Amino acid sequence: MNTPEAAQGLGRPGTAAPPNRNGLAMTAVVLGAISLSTSVLVIGGPLGVIGLVLGVVALVTTGRTGTGRGKAVAAVVTSALAIVVSVLVVVLMVWYANHTQACYRPDSFHQYTQCVREQLAHSD
């Protein structure tokens, strides 16, 4: 019973195969999920870049080891989405600031909202 399967615990009843773990892929998935959930606050953009890099490295690693490919793909997708959402939020914030800059010195919130409505109605 000196076969490689026996040495790894495979083929014996009641023994489980060792778990397939790819720590890099798991880290990338966690960063991707966090970056996607915080991308509306723009914090997710930089985290998404880190998650994307780790996800791509994990994909390259899974090509050699074969473990964690699904997690690596999920990390790349969620991180890329987080980057896109963060960029869109920044673009919308710049657009809004550009179109409402005349309203930045209101005496009251009511005046501010009225000014913003007027500015946005004229921007069409």
Side-chain angles (χ1 to χ4, degrees):
M1 222 164 147
N2 286 334
T3 64
E5 292 85 11
Q8 293 179 357
L10 301 175
R12 281 191 263 166
T15 59
N20 292 332
R21 292 189 180 150
N22 187 340
L24 193 58
M26 189 60 176
T27 303
V29 166
V30 169
L31 273 175
I34 291 171
S35 64
L36 188 57
S37 64
T38 59
S39 61
V40 176
L41 304 174
V42 185
I43 298 168
L47 289 177
V49 171
I50 296 168
L52 186 66
V53 170
L54 290 177
V56 169
V57 171
L59 270 176
V60 171
T61 303
T62 60
R64 288 181 279 153
T65 63
T67 59
R69 182 164 177 77
K71 289 178 185 175
V73 170
V76 169
V77 169
T78 55
S79 297
L81 282 174
I83 294 168
V84 169
V85 170
S86 291
V87 167
L88 286 175
V89 166
V90 168
V91 167
L92 288 174
M93 286 172 48
V94 169
W95 177 86
Y96 179 82
N98 188 37
H99 283 82
T100 62
Q101 60 181 302
C103 304
Y104 289 152
R105 296 187 189 177
D107 294 331
S108 70
F109 185 71
H110 177 71
Q111 285 180 341
Y112 172 76
T113 56
Q114 184 178 2
C115 179
V116 167
R117 285 187 190 124
E118 291 171 5
Q119 293 295 321
L120 293 179
H122 291 354
S123 69
D124 295 334

